């Protein structure tokens, strides 16, 4: 490893092997004995030069990468004071060590949040602290060489930025922010991750993560309309680019194409139709997701979010509602006002933006929708709190609304609901294992191991209560669990959206 070259670093992703066995489902989550280097072979593919350059980054690792990386680190430390604080205040108390799903699943000690962050701190101490400059390794400081850069690339792409570790840190150190900073530094020297950067490029060029053009979107919408009418006999429409509608719905593009995501799109459409509320989708703002957050790049986040601002000015809606997507809701809730706000043209009577679960829950409370819960009687339902929603946002006007509103909504459309064990839900929820830009096939074995804690919790209620449906409000969670569940022997149909359940229970035509 010490003799690693740039070429070896960039081509170090291992050849495809047989699938690794997943952990046995017992219903219990145990802290494992550490296995040094157990996750060192999971490496995301590196972005090609043309992908990097499309985003404004160097196409490949620059010759003076060390100098450029240290300079960029200095800029980030100056720009983000929280990052500077996180570098200095860790006391290595160990509170975070067994809180990351990737450590629990892989046993690799470098997936302990404190150890992952230490990869960054070593460089920080060496170049930005007096002790590190004078005493070097004695002060925990090391040169930023290719060997350490390789570890950065490996382990900062084994963090899903779920922030569970920050919940348990007595100082509130947010390892997700450290991971974002590390990825931004690596992008700035020409070492980007293929999956995330390709998707950002598609959004720049076409407008959404899936690369669906306007005509493709229209075809998908017409297909959904035909399916709903064939199923219900009622012509429910999914309007596109309608000016002066009450609501602009921005949802992940996976809702237009993938399964089970599209079932939630059906649910949204039925809600708007039955409530008699005019609404529209936008061919410009056809993606709620914002992968710019995953690489910690403000400019990318702003450029992606600007499509929504453009759609608001072009279509003049009165309300802005976001569909089922975890990190998209975090970006909308935390960052949109800074990135593309203020939303002065929207009606101030309503949240700007508002989550689709809060919107539908309010309509049911007001009697605007008739529900037949028996339509979901084949399901015993549980709910997976998405990490970004749980630990970085809120819904409604009461603390904890991001936990309570989805559960209230589910219980209004199903008769049988049970929560998973308390230590795995609400703010303590585990990531699905693919957030933060990890939803890529070359690391599917890592993703399966990262999903282990959630799968154990799900297994426990499947065994004790007969749960057969896990409701989700995140496009990445839906994609992850439908892929991973069969690896654990659980049917992929066990995963689905909340509005999939809403759509089934909603009685169309029941009210004028």
């Amino acid at each position: 490893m010490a003799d690693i070259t740039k070429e070896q670093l960039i081509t170090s992703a291992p050849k495809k092997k047989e699938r690794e066995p997943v952990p046995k489902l017992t219903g219990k989550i145990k802290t494992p004995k550490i296995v040094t280097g157990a996750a060192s072979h999971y490496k995301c593919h590196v972005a090609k030069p043309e992908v990097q350059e499309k985003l404004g980054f160097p196409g490949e690792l620059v010759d003076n990468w060390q100098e450029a990386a240290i300079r960029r680190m200095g800029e980030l430390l100056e720009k983000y004071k929280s990052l500077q604080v996180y570098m200095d205040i860790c006391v290595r108390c160990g509170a975070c060590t067994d809180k990351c799903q990737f450590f629990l699943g892989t046993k690799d000690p470098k997936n302990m949040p404190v150890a992952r962050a230490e990869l960054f701190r070593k460089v920080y101490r060496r170049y930005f602290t007096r002790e590190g400059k004078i005493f070097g390794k004695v002060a925990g400081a090391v040169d930023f060489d290719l060997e350490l850069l390789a570890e950065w690339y490996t382990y900062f792409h084994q963090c899903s930025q779920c922030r569970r570790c920050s919940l348990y840190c007595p100082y509130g150190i947010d390892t997700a922010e450290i991971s974002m900073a590390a990825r931004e530094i690596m992008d700035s020297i020409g070492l980007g991750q293929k999956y995330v950067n390709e998707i950002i490029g598609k959004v720049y060029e076409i407008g959404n993560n899936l690369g669906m053009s306007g005509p493709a979107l229209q075809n998908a919408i017409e297909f959904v309309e035909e399916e709903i009418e064939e199923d219900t006999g009622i012509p429910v429409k999914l309007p596109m680019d309608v000016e002066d509608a009450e609501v602009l719905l921005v949802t992940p593009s996976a809702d237009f194409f993938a399964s089970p995501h599209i079932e939630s799109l059906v649910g949204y459409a039925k809600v708007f139709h039955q409530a008699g509320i005019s609404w529209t989708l936008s061919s410009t703002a056809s993606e709620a997701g914002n992968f710019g957050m995953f690489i910690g790049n403000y400019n990318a986040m702003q450029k992606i979010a600007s499509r929504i601002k453009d759609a608001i000015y072009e279509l003049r809606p009165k309300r802005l509602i976001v569909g089922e997507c975890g990190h998209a809701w975090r970006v909308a809730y935390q960052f949109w006002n800074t990135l593309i706000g203020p939303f002065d043209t929207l009606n101030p009577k309503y949240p700007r933006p508002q989550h689709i679960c809060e919107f539908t829950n309010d309509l049911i409370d007001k009697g605007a929708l008739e529900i037949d819960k028996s339509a979901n009687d084949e399901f015993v339902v549980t709910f997976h709190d998405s990490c970004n929603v749980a630990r970085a946002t809120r819904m409604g006007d009461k603390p904890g609304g991001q936990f309570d509103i989805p559960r209230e909504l589910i219980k209004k459309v199903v008769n049988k609901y049970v929560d998973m064990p308390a230590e795995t839900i609400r703010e303590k929820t585990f990531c699905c294992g693919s957030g933060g830009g990890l939803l890529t096939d070359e690391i599917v074995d890592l993703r399966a191991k990262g999903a282990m804690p959630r799968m154990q919790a799900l297994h426990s209620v499947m065994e004790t209560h007969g749960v057969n449906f896990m409701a989700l409000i995140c496009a990445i969670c839906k994609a992850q669990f439908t892929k991973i569940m069969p690896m654990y022997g659980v049917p992929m149909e066990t995963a689905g959206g909340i509005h999939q359940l809403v759509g089934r229970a909603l009685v169309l035509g029941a009210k004028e």
Side-chain angles (χ1 to χ4, degrees), residues 202-224:
K202 277 192 284 190
V203 178
Y204 284 2
E205 278 193 352
I206 304 172
N208 53 65
N209 289 4
L210 295 186
M212 296 179 74
S213 64
L217 280 171
Q218 192 60 50
N219 286 339
I221 286 171
E222 290 172 1
F223 171 77
V224 173

Side-chain angles (χ1 to χ4, degrees), residues 239-418:
M240 175 75 82
D241 293 333
V242 174
E243 297 179 353
D244 300 312
E246 176 71 15
V247 170
L248 168 63
L249 174 70
V250 182
T251 200
S253 58
D255 284 356
F256 297 106
F257 179 74
S259 179
H261 312 62
I262 200 166
E263 298 298 330
S264 284
L265 181 63
V266 170
Y268 311 152
K270 288 182 177 179
V271 168
F272 287 117
H273 173 90
Q274 192 59 25
I277 295 174
S278 64
W279 69 293
T280 188
L281 298 159
S282 165
S283 58
T284 303
S286 56
E287 179 59 66
N290 192 323
F291 279 26
M293 186 177 76
F294 297 157
I295 61 171
N297 188 280
Y298 185 89
N299 292 336
M301 285 179 67
Q302 189 170 49
K303 185 171 182 177
I304 293 169
S306 65
R307 296 169 297 102
I308 294 156
K309 179 181 180 180
D310 294 343
I312 291 171
Y313 280 110
E314 290 168 4
L315 301 178
R316 301 181 299 279
K318 299 177 181 62
R319 302 174 66 177
L320 178 59
I321 293 178
V322 179
E324 294 178 354
C325 183
H327 87 275
W329 179 238
R330 180 183 178 187
V331 173
Y333 182 85
Q334 282 200 330
F335 301 119
W336 270 3
N337 196 48
T338 302
L339 294 170
I340 57 173
F343 298 114
D344 292 340
T345 61
L346 300 177
N347 190 335
K349 284 174 55 181
Y350 304 101
R352 300 175 292 181
Q354 185 175 41
H355 195 280
I356 186 70
C357 284
E358 181 184 358
F359 173 76
T360 302
N361 198 47
D362 285 348
L363 286 174
I364 296 176
D365 283 345
K366 293 173 181 173
L369 304 175
E370 183 173 331
I371 299 295
D372 176 13
K373 295 166 70 169
S374 68
N376 286 315
D377 273 354
E378 67 187 88
F379 299 126
V380 180
V381 180
T382 191
F383 176 60
H384 165 72
D385 296 271
S386 298
C387 49
N388 274 297
V389 175
R391 289 187 282 268
T393 74
R394 182 182 285 186
M395 294 181 205
D397 56 4
K398 297 178 181 176
Q402 73 273 31
F403 311 125
D404 297 331
I405 288 175
R407 286 174 169 79
E408 289 172 11
L409 179 54
I410 293 170
K411 292 173 184 175
K412 286 170 183 168
V413 297
V414 307
N415 281 313
K416 291 169 282 189
Y417 176 83
V418 61

Side-chain angles (χ1 to χ4, degrees), residues 91-216:
V91 296
R92 297 178 184 79
C93 66
C96 67
T97 54
D98 60 348
K99 302 303 184 293
C100 174
Q101 60 275 351
F102 288 108
F103 168 65
L104 294 172
T106 67
K107 309 174 184 177
D108 191 319
K110 287 185 178 171
N111 273 327
M112 294 177 177
V114 63
R116 185 183 289 114
E118 184 65 14
L119 297 174
F120 199 108
R121 288 195 182 95
K122 290 178 182 178
V123 181
Y124 164 73
R125 294 191 197 100
R126 171 65 181 83
Y127 300 99
F128 296 94
T129 69
R130 179 180 300 176
E131 296 80 2
K133 291 176 182 176
I134 297 174
F135 300 111
K137 289 185 178 179
V138 176
V142 300
D143 289 338
F144 199 10
D145 57 16
L146 276 174
E147 182 179 353
L148 183 53
L149 180 60
E151 287 196 310
W152 270 43
Y153 190 78
T154 299
Y155 290 103
F156 284 119
H157 288 106
Q158 294 186 21
C159 171
S160 61
Q161 303 173 351
C162 79
R163 307 179 75 237
R164 190 171 193 266
C165 52
S166 69
L167 181 71
Y168 294 90
C169 175
Y171 295 91
I173 295 172
D174 189 346
T175 304
E177 282 199 30
I178 299 172
S179 288
M180 291 174 189
R183 292 185 190 181
E184 175 157 20
I185 291 168
M186 287 189 281
D187 269 320
S188 74
I189 59 174
L191 187 60
Q193 193 240 47
K194 177 176 181 284
Y195 167 67
V196 169
N197 288 4
E198 279 188 348
I199 281 185
I200 293 174
K202 277 192 284 190
V203 178
Y204 284 2
E205 278 193 352
I206 304 172
N208 53 65
N209 289 4
L210 295 186
M212 296 179 74
S213 64

